[in-house]
Amino acid sequence: MMVELDPATDDARLAARLASDLDSSFESLVVAHQDRLFTIAFRTGGDRHDAEELVQDCFVRAYRALATYPPTRIRELRLRGWLTTILLNAGRNRARVKRVPTTELTFEPGAEPAVDPLTRRDERETWARLLAGLTSAQRTAVVLRHVDGMSYAEIAEATGRPEGTVKAHVHRGLAALRTALLAAERREREEIPA
Amino acid sequence: MNDQIDPTTESALAGLREPAPVGLAHATLVAVGLADDYAVLHSPVGPLRVAWNGRGVSAVEEAPDDGVFEARFYARTGRVARRRDALPADLARKIERRLAGRHNRIDLDLRGSTAFERAVWMKALEIPRGEVRPYGWIAREIGRPKAVRAVGTALGQNPVPLIVPCHRVVRSDGMIGQYSLGGPRNKRTILAGEGADPDELETLARAGIRYFGSDTTHIYCLPTCHDARRVTERHLVRFSSAGAASAAGYRPCKHCRPTVATAVA
């Protein structure tokens, strides 16, 4: 279970520890952020193994950066957004190097056996598939806002996009999810014999 | 903040959180060098435990079991080592090649060592396979001619024996001497496997022979020097000291640089 304490306070405390002794506190950073970074990588990319490598890559980059930052700079870091930025950049580089489109798992209507998405044993799989059908920008925005729970201001900072743009991406993403869900439900109703 | 999101969608999306795979944290710490993995390597002197992290190989040790290895490793480095089934394929290949005498690059994690220790270990790396050098030779070569005893201590502390070939460093009187990786018998086995016959070396040492010269080139060498071994018996001249060699009009070999050993022998 993921326990939600107060992430901002925890991060500030963690940043202070990282500033005073990187090597002895880096493990705490990994433990505190690995689940959310893995979630973001997995839900935006779609492949477990790739997500695992990406998160590791992200932490390695973070470690190397922290090793060169002066303590004052580390203490002021907003770790949540900072790590998210590193993860997203690493993901983009990786996609470019591997020449694999980030929207590899596109939502193909009818590709799955028609089962009521909401009564399916694993409802999460359905939602994951719906998410995969969004555009990359929408999916990232929706995952950061509603799966990870970042604020719009944090997402804007982490993605380097204006807050208005992020909001629009989330809004359109949610609308697309609703449409896809309705379509899936309708298709299923039509395919059940009377 | 109004997202106009219905509770069903909201909870469904929040339900997509996914815990990181078990092992990701350890793998991450290994990658940055804050933890290590290790596996068993089969060597001419039996099973050895080899540890590594993102910075390089961090330990080569003979230990009776995993528990003893992990405890010793933690005591020395302060890091946790986790057992794996095998070494990464490329690392295993590199070590195999190195043991076969290749001068390939193997990254080493030597954190926690002193500059002096690293200088000693790096110098030992220059000794070719099948050859040996006295402790005094290392001391002189690294510019610390009086630190012969400290060189011996540093070699004993070598965390990555075999990869850093401290077994190629012998006593200044020519006897094979001590070895950190499981004792002197292992040192003899490894040297013999590399083509430097330890019995023959000690026979020479006991006979007081320290150098080989060639009466055609008038150059003298350490007995295991590649150049010395090419001299045929008919032209081989044996010396008990560098002084004797130079008195006979011989100059020291530029490859094995035997003179540096004399001053401290």
Side-chain angles (χ1 to χ4, degrees):
Chain A
M1 272 282 88
M2 269 169 262
V3 185
E4 304 246 354
L5 301 166
D6 181 353
T9 319
D10 282 356
D11 271 3
R13 222 173 275 141
L14 194 47
R17 283 175 54 206
L18 289 166
S20 68
D21 187 349
L22 173 62
D23 281 0
S24 72
S25 49
F26 188 73
E27 184 173 2
S28 303
L29 179 75
V30 174
V31 169
H33 286 272
Q34 62 172 349
D35 289 341
R36 55 171 294 268
L37 291 175
F38 181 75
T39 295
I40 295 168
F42 182 43
R43 294 309 180 190
T44 56
D47 181 272
R48 238 173 198 288
H49 181 73
D50 285 352
E52 191 169 355
E53 281 190 356
L54 187 56
V55 172
Q56 193 176 315
D57 189 16
C58 164
F59 278 124
V60 170
R61 285 163 188 248
Y63 179 84
R64 291 196 182 135
L66 290 171
T68 65
Y69 289 0
T72 45
R73 182 164 174 197
I74 298 177
R75 221 169 280 122
E76 284 160 12
L77 281 177
R78 281 188 290 259
L79 295 172
R80 220 153 99 99
W82 183 68
L83 287 170
T84 307
T85 307
I86 296 174
L87 183 81
L88 296 175
N89 288 341
R92 258 195 302 278
N93 288 341
R94 197 168 267 258
R96 205 176 298 138
V97 170
K98 290 176 81 180
R99 297 189 181 285
V100 172
T102 45
T103 51
E104 199 175 9
L105 284 183
T106 48
F107 177 58
E108 294 170 40
E112 280 292 303
V115 179
D116 181 348
L118 296 181
T119 58
R120 199 188 170 101
R121 192 179 55 83
D122 193 357
E123 186 193 321
R124 299 170 81 226
E125 231 167 80
T126 303
W127 280 94
R129 204 168 295 117
L130 293 176
L131 254 187
L134 301 181
T135 68
S136 172
Q138 288 172 357
R139 184 168 56 247
T140 301
V142 169
V143 167
L144 294 181
R145 177 72 193 104
H146 289 295
V147 183
D148 185 53
M150 288 170 79
S151 72
Y152 282 118
E154 283 178 309
I155 300 170
E157 197 181 324
T159 58
R161 292 195 165 110
E163 209 172 307
T165 309
V166 174
K167 278 185 183 168
H169 283 148
V170 172
H171 185 78
R172 284 191 211 119
L174 289 176
L177 283 179
R178 268 191 295 273
T179 310
L181 184 63
L182 287 173
E185 286 171 339
R186 195 180 319 117
R187 202 169 46 251
E188 187 238 338
R189 270 197 306 276
E190 285 163 2
E191 285 174 20
I192 292 177
Chain B
M1 201 168 303
N2 181 15
D3 277 348
Q4 297 176 318
I5 182 167
D6 62 277
T8 314
T9 307
E10 188 170 33
S11 74
L13 288 174
L16 289 180
R17 289 179 203 167
E18 190 75 12
V22 174
L24 189 147
H26 177 75
T28 301
L29 295 176
V30 169
V32 299
L34 295 178
D36 300 67
D37 282 336
Y38 73 95
V40 171
L41 174 81
H42 295 281
S43 81
V45 291
L48 300 172
R49 282 172 175 77
V50 177
W52 68 91
N53 61 52
R55 298 174 192 232
V57 177
S58 51
V60 173
E61 227 185 275
E62 188 184 61
D65 57 55
D66 288 349
V68 169
F69 174 78
E70 287 170 23
R72 279 191 209 154
F73 186 83
Y74 185 80
R76 176 168 69 82
T77 65
R79 303 192 304 269
V80 172
R82 191 170 293 180
R83 172 74 192 257
R84 313 293 297 196
D85 290 337
L87 273 77
D90 65 322
L91 178 60
R93 207 162 34 238
K94 281 181 181 172
I95 292 178
E96 198 179 308
R97 285 191 187 144
R98 171 70 68 86
L99 298 187
R102 207 80 67 79
H103 281 271
N104 56 351
R105 184 192 164 91
I106 298 179
D107 290 325
L108 302 173
D109 178 9
L110 303 176
R111 278 175 294 169
S113 57
T114 65
F116 177 79
E117 285 172 331
R118 285 192 300 278
V120 169
W121 301 335
M122 293 309 109
K123 184 50 73 176
L125 272 173
E126 293 177 14
I127 308 171
R129 187 175 200 265
E131 301 188 20
V132 299
R133 301 285 184 270
Y135 293 114
W137 180 88
I138 296 230
R140 278 296 298 268
E141 285 269 324
I142 64 170
R144 299 282 300 277
K146 289 182 184 153
V148 183
R149 195 174 292 269
V151 165
T153 307
L155 290 167
Q157 302 288 332
N158 173 12
V160 286
L162 276 187
I163 297 178
V164 167
C166 55
H167 58 273
R168 293 178 195 154
V169 189
V170 298
R171 274 167 41 176
S172 294
D173 65 5
M175 302 301 278
I176 298 303
Q178 285 302 312
Y179 190 44
S180 64
L181 191 68
R185 199 190 298 150
N186 281 351
K187 190 171 184 174
R188 305 180 81 90
T189 305
I190 299 164
L191 286 175
E194 294 185 341
D197 184 342
D199 296 331
E200 189 191 318
L201 291 174
E202 292 197 333
T203 304
L204 283 176
R206 273 190 290 266
I209 296 164
R210 298 283 182 274
Y211 306 102
F212 283 174
S214 158
D215 66 7
T216 51
T217 60
H218 282 247
I219 293 172
Y220 72 98
C221 300
L222 288 163
T224 58
C225 175
H226 177 72
D227 291 347
R229 286 188 296 178
R230 286 191 322 202
V231 180
T232 57
E233 184 58 36
R234 201 156 63 88
H235 296 287
L236 194 68
V237 186
R238 295 167 177 83
F239 296 108
S240 60
S241 71
S246 69
Y250 285 64
R251 71 153 176 88
C253 168
K254 283 175 181 158
H255 296 131
C256 66
R257 298 185 292 278
T259 330
V260 292
T262 355
V264 288

